[in-house]
Each structure stands twice: as structure tokens, then as C-alpha cells.
Amino acid sequence: MSSPKPPGSQVRARADDLRRQIDHHNYRYYVLDDPEISDAQYDRLMQSLRAIEAENPQLVTPDSPTQRIGVHPVGHLAEVVHLLPMLSLDNAFTEEDVIAFDRRVRERLETSEEIEYAAEPKLDGLAVSFLYESGHLVQAATRGDGMRGEDVTHSVRTIKAVPITLRPGAPARLEVRGEVFMPVQGFKDMNARALARGEKVFVNPRNAAAGSIRQLDPRLAASRPLDVFFYGIGQSEGWTPPARHSELLEQLRAFGLKVSPLVQRVRGVQGALAYYREVAALRAGLAYEIDGVVYKVDRCAQQRELGFVARAPRWAVAHKFPAHEENTVVRAVEFQVGRTGALTPVARLEPVFVGGVTVSNATLHNMDEVRRKDVRIGDTVVIRRAGDVIPEVVKVIIERRPSTAREVVLPARCPVCGSDVEREEGEVVARCSGGLYCAAQRKEALRHFAGRRALDIDGLGSKIIDQLVDKPLIEGAPVRSPADLFRLTAQQLASLDRMGEKSAANLVAALERSKSTTLARFLYALGIRDVGEATAAALANHFGSLEALQQATVEDIQEVPDVGPVVAAHVHTFLQQAHNRAVIEALRAQGVHWPVQAPRRHLGGEGPLAGRSFVLTGTLTSMSRDQAGARIVALGGKVSGSVSKKTSYVVAGAEPGSKLQKARELGVEVLDEAGFLALLDQ
DNA sequence: GATCCTCGAGTTCT
DNA sequence: CTCGAGGATC
């Protein structure tokens, strides 16, 4: 630590003084949005400091404003455990939802008085947790799953609105939460530059912000126009937090942390809804994207009384703006052929940017739907992203229908194999009659067979299957059935596109691994009509062995719970057909096997969870949903996909879906992860 | 015969 | 996630 020539104390004092000045002007500029000096003056201060530090490297402190950009890229993003979990928020989509939220709050607090809420815009960025110790930024981490995120300190330090040092008076330890985002203009400029250099562009500001934050090289992150608003705290020590959320935000501002200027305290549900309308009107003019507003019960004592449910506080709700809808033109309607031969009409759209992504396809489900919505080729339609994900044609704008618009016609022959298309009496779906003669059905059958929930053949994706079916690899012995897959050699596979020697060897190994399976998975993998995972498991349990099932009559099969005449007939017919028997034989000859088990005809009634049914929604932190399901079943419980009055519990993880809503409507008990784990432990 | 409960199948984009 | 339809129940 000894240096040849220690800098004089005046120099040290000058450097400290410059840092204080720069920090102060950063605060004026970024937090208060009210600079005292010109940009040029500010630059001169920075220049002076850099000059001193360059001559006296010993004086460089890690929190100096010159040190925002670390020199070295990090190798990877380390995992960080949040001191206090980062919660998600419940969503409200309608005014009724908000009114219901307000009613629940008042009921729980047993008050008829109007609740005071702190209201703020909901930024469309990514949530980051910042840890300040003795006023210095020591760590920044992404939200991740709420419990643990990724260490992004190196890139967060480059965001100028994030103070490296807090102003005096800050607590000894403060975990503070904020939303990092990219302003729209900055996003456009950045994309324009990237485009000019022939680099890849980001589809929306949100992705751009996330991508920039997760950059390993801080110099790259520094070139990105990121900004931040702070909105709350996690753990803190060495101070008494204020009694109201709105006061907390004032405090954060005083510490030098930038808070949205649109934050407001409102009274009651009417105040909240008025705020929503106000912000909605401002939305288009804002420099950044928002997707709604958030209401938080302002009094912290009330927040504590309300507590949490399923990783989300009971005292806050995100009131979302309506899903974005956009107009576009239907260029064509094509028919896809599924595993069962089902012909599904898909609208090919003029690409349109909806809710953050470019949409160019939308399913029309079936011909009834096409007629109901009266979609024609050439029509202008309204597109929405249902549940924020899957694009949906909302309606046709009839006034814009051109005279050249053409009706959608169900083809008489399969577009893939030319076989007749049939539509059974009373059924909505039309099907290709080609069976496995149809290349589309063969491909889909193979995809299903290799799927994660079937034989789980890692590395056998769509692209590979397309090639295997379309261009025969093996002279005279193309891949027609699942059994043919196991004959493929690494050498043959390596000749495919997007397949090197390494991937080919991996795939052969995956095929080998997949041979060891269970009867339930095997039955499911066969792709018998109407036999999904649940039915396959029920059949496997009931019969115990494939031989027993093969010898069963239709009546025997109907003995299985939840299997009626239709499904029993499908199973029976499938197993009797010569080509199916041949495929099954070939698979077993290739070494596909499963443990034999005794038939268990009377399930349920055993185990501590017997007779209770569970529905899982959202993401759990301690295990996957599949693992949770397995544990429930192991304890004698039942897992179902949909909520009904008969459901015993809905287990809600982070960011739960509509099932949580449904559970509330039906008054079904909701467990959060902790409650669920406690139940399992009992 | 009506109604409710489940399961199966198909689907978009990053 | 959503829709359609098979199965169970009353």
C-alpha cells in the first residue's frame, strides 16, 4: 500500500471537494431535474477530477463519479439473494377489479372510511434492487424470481440517475427498489445507430433495458440511455422508516434517489380511479412507456395489518391499461395440420406491433370461429394479445372491407398430403383423413413422441424432425414411425443441417436415455386420440402392464376412472391395428422399457392429502410446478388444471394467472408458497 | 337431459 | 390461455 510520493493533503482535499460538487450537481440534475450549472461547467468539474485522479491513482475511490464504468467485463452474472423478497403485484384490469380491491382492503381493516392510497405510474422496465451500505452503492440485482436475482452492479453503476453515494442522512443500510427503464427517444436513437452499424435492434424499450442491464461489459451498458425511478424499500437498518408510503418516497428523494414526479396521494377508490384517468391521458406524451398505474395503501401500519398473500401484498394492486389493440390486414388464411389431422385456419397478417412484439400470425381456431367473426382475406381486423401473450383477432372492421375480400374456404383436400378432408357430424374441427400417410401428421406425431412430457428426447426439435421426415437419411428406410428414430446413427444425423458431430452424438445419447421410461409416458407418447397425460397415467395405473391393456376389451377399458365409451374405443382400436402393434413391438425391440408394476385399481383414500384436490398457478421458488404436483400426488392428493367449486386449494406462486381470480370468485382457499410447504410438511 | 367438472389439443413469440 | 367435448353426476 506504500506509494513513492504521497499526494499532498491539499490535493486530496481538492479531489474530495470536486466529488462533493459533482454529486451535488448530479442530484440537482437527475433527481430534482433542476440543474444549477450548465452542462459545460459540469464537464469541467469532471475533467478536473479526472486529471487529479490520473496523476494520483492512490486517490481514486471506488465511489468516485469517474468510476461509474468499471474497466473489466464480468465473466458471468452471479446469483444474489434478496434480503427481503421482491414481491409481485396483483393485477386489476377493470374499474370493477379496483373497486373489489378497495372493498377487500376496507373489509380486512374493518373500516368504512376512505383509504388513502399512494398512486404512481407503472413503468414498463425491469425491477432492480439496490443495496446501499453506509450510503454507498454496494450491490444491484435484478428481480429474478423474487427470491434471488442476478448481480448487475457493474452495469447499474453506469446509470447516471443511480447515485453511487447517497446524500447525508441516509440509513446505515438500505435496500431500495426501483424500476430501470429506457426512455422511448433514447431507445429509438440507439436502434437507429445499431441499424446503421448493421447490428441487431431491440424490439421494444423494455427488452432493450433488460438486455443492457444484463450486459457483461459495463462499457456497453454505459452507452445505453438507461434511467430509473425508485419506488420502495426492502430491508433497512439504522433509521426509523416513515409511517406513510408517500413520506417514504419523499425520504428517498432527500437521500438523492429519483422518484417519479407523477406520484400522488389519493383518497378512496374514486380518487384512485380519477388518478388512473389522469395518467392515461398523459400516457402518450410521456418520455417513457407505462403499462398502468399502481395503488398502494399509504399508511404503513395498515399495510402491515393487511399482510401478504401468495408473494403479493394485499395492500397494493397494479391497475393495467387495456391491452393494446392494433389494426392490420389479413393477407391470407392458411390451414395447418395438427397431430390428429385437425385443420386449423391461421391468419397471416401484415406484421403489426402490438403490446411490445411484432405479430404476424394469429390462430382462428376453426371454421366456426371464422364464420362467427366473419373474417375474410383482405379484411382489416383488430388484433389484441390475449392474456398478454397469444395474439387474437378481436373483430373485423366491416367498413374497411375491400370489394376484393375473399371468403375463407375450408379446403376439400389436405394442403399437405392431398387426402380428403372430413368433418364429422356435430364436430367443429375438420380433419385430414390421411393419417400417418400425411407428412404433417407424421411430423406432429414424432414431435409429440419426443416431447418433454412423453419420452423426453432432448435435442430432437422441430427443425430436425422436419428434415428427418422430408429427406430420407437412410436409403430405403426413412423415418416414418417413432421406432425408426432409434435406428439413427450419429453419422447419419451429423449430415443434417444445423447438426454437427457434437450435437449428433448428444442426440444419440438422448435417444438412448429416453429408452428408459414409464408405462404412462409411453402410452402418452403413442399419441392415441383423447389420451393425454392424465388418461395415460390412469390407464397405466389400472392395468399395470402394456400386455394387460392390449388384452383388455372395450368394456374392460371403460372400467378406468374418467374413461367412457368414446375414449375406450379409441384406445382399443389403436391397440388392435396391425401397424400400431408393429410400431410398439419395434420400439420394445429397440430397448424401450419401463418398470413393471402391479395394477392399482383403487387409488385415493391413502395418504395425508387423500381426497383433496389442488390447482397450481404462478411460479414457485423452491420447486417447479411439476415437482410440486409430484409431491401432492405422492401424498395422495390430486392435481387438476382448472379451478372449480370442488377444488380444495389453489396454490399461488409468483405472478399467478387467472386461476387465482377464479379461486376468489368461488371462495376456494388460496395458499401461498409458504402455506403450501407448511401443508406438505404436516 | 341438463349441468358441471376435467382433460385434451392447438397456439405466439422471444 | 382458451375452447371444445368427453365423462360424471344429479
Side-chain angles (χ1 to χ4, degrees), chain A residues 172-216:
Chain A
R173 184 184 177 89
L174 180 67
E175 204 184 8
V176 59
R177 272 73 194 263
E179 189 85 359
V180 171
F181 62 95
M182 190 177 285
V184 178
Q185 192 55 50
F187 164 74
K188 286 182 181 158
D189 294 346
M190 188 186 94
N191 263 357
R193 285 197 302 273
L195 201 62
R197 285 195 300 259
E199 292 167 7
K200 96 174 185 92
V201 296
F202 286 99
V203 293
N204 58 43
R206 212 202 92 80
N207 285 5
S212 306
I213 279 288
R214 301 187 66 255
Q215 273 293 335
L216 296 177

Side-chain angles (χ1 to χ4, degrees), chain A residues 124-202:
Chain A
D124 202 9
L126 79 161
V128 172
S129 185
F130 308 77
L131 183 61
Y132 285 89
E133 278 178 353
S134 311
H136 299 285
L137 176 66
V138 295
Q139 192 172 67
T142 59
R143 178 173 183 284
D145 63 10
M147 300 295 289
R148 55 199 77 212
E150 288 172 319
D151 187 337
V152 289
T153 316
H154 60 287
S155 50
V156 162
R157 284 175 67 95
T158 68
I159 304 173
K160 304 226 175 48
V162 174
I164 303 253
T165 315
L166 295 181
R167 296 173 62 76
R173 184 184 177 89
L174 180 67
E175 204 184 8
V176 59
R177 272 73 194 263
E179 189 85 359
V180 171
F181 62 95
M182 190 177 285
V184 178
Q185 192 55 50
F187 164 74
K188 286 182 181 158
D189 294 346
M190 188 186 94
N191 263 357
R193 285 197 302 273
L195 201 62
R197 285 195 300 259
E199 292 167 7
K200 96 174 185 92
V201 296
F202 286 99

Side-chain angles (χ1 to χ4, degrees), chain A residues 468-527:
Chain A
L468 288 176
V469 172
D470 290 337
K471 44 179 181 184
L473 269 184
I474 322 167
E475 287 296 314
V479 174
R480 289 183 189 283
S481 84
D484 299 328
L485 291 172
F486 293 101
R487 275 203 288 275
L488 295 167
T489 64
Q491 203 186 2
Q492 290 167 335
L493 286 168
S495 70
L496 295 172
D497 291 343
R498 313 269 326 129
M499 252 296 173
E501 268 175 36
K502 181 77 180 155
S503 322
N506 285 345
L507 181 48
V508 170
L511 280 162
E512 197 54 41
R513 259 201 315 279
S514 73
K515 286 180 183 173
S516 177
T517 185
T518 64
L519 178 55
R521 275 174 178 267
F522 182 76
L523 288 173
Y524 174 65
L526 291 176

Side-chain angles (χ1 to χ4, degrees), chain A residues 618-657:
Chain A
T619 318
L620 300 174
T621 55
S622 56
M623 62 182 101
S624 73
R625 245 188 312 187
D626 284 350
Q627 288 168 333
R631 292 197 56 185
I632 291 167
V633 172
L635 294 171
K638 204 166 164 290
V639 182
S640 168
S642 48
V643 184
S644 73
K645 279 187 293 189
K646 291 185 179 170
T647 307
S648 317
Y649 305 98
V650 168
V651 179
E655 293 179 40

Side-chain angles (χ1 to χ4, degrees), chain A residues 221-234:
Chain A
S223 68
R224 305 283 171 77
L226 294 172
D227 204 341
V228 67
F229 281 130
F230 295 90
Y231 58 76
I233 59 171

Side-chain angles (χ1 to χ4, degrees), chain A residues 16-70:
Chain A
D16 286 346
D17 183 48
L18 281 169
R19 281 185 200 125
R20 259 195 304 277
Q21 285 192 49
I22 292 167
D23 282 343
H24 170 76
H25 292 302
N26 275 343
Y27 172 70
R28 300 289 312 189
Y29 185 90
Y30 291 108
V31 181
L32 302 184
D33 199 17
D34 182 21
E36 285 172 342
I37 59 173
S38 71
D39 290 0
Q41 285 171 309
Y42 175 86
D43 287 344
R44 278 199 289 279
L45 291 175
M46 279 295 273
Q47 273 311 321
S48 311
L49 179 59
R50 277 208 195 90
I52 294 177
E53 289 182 345
E55 273 188 27
N56 307 283
Q58 319 86 303
L59 286 183
V60 182
T61 58
D63 56 1
S64 168
T66 60
Q67 297 304 299
R68 283 194 174 268
I69 308 173

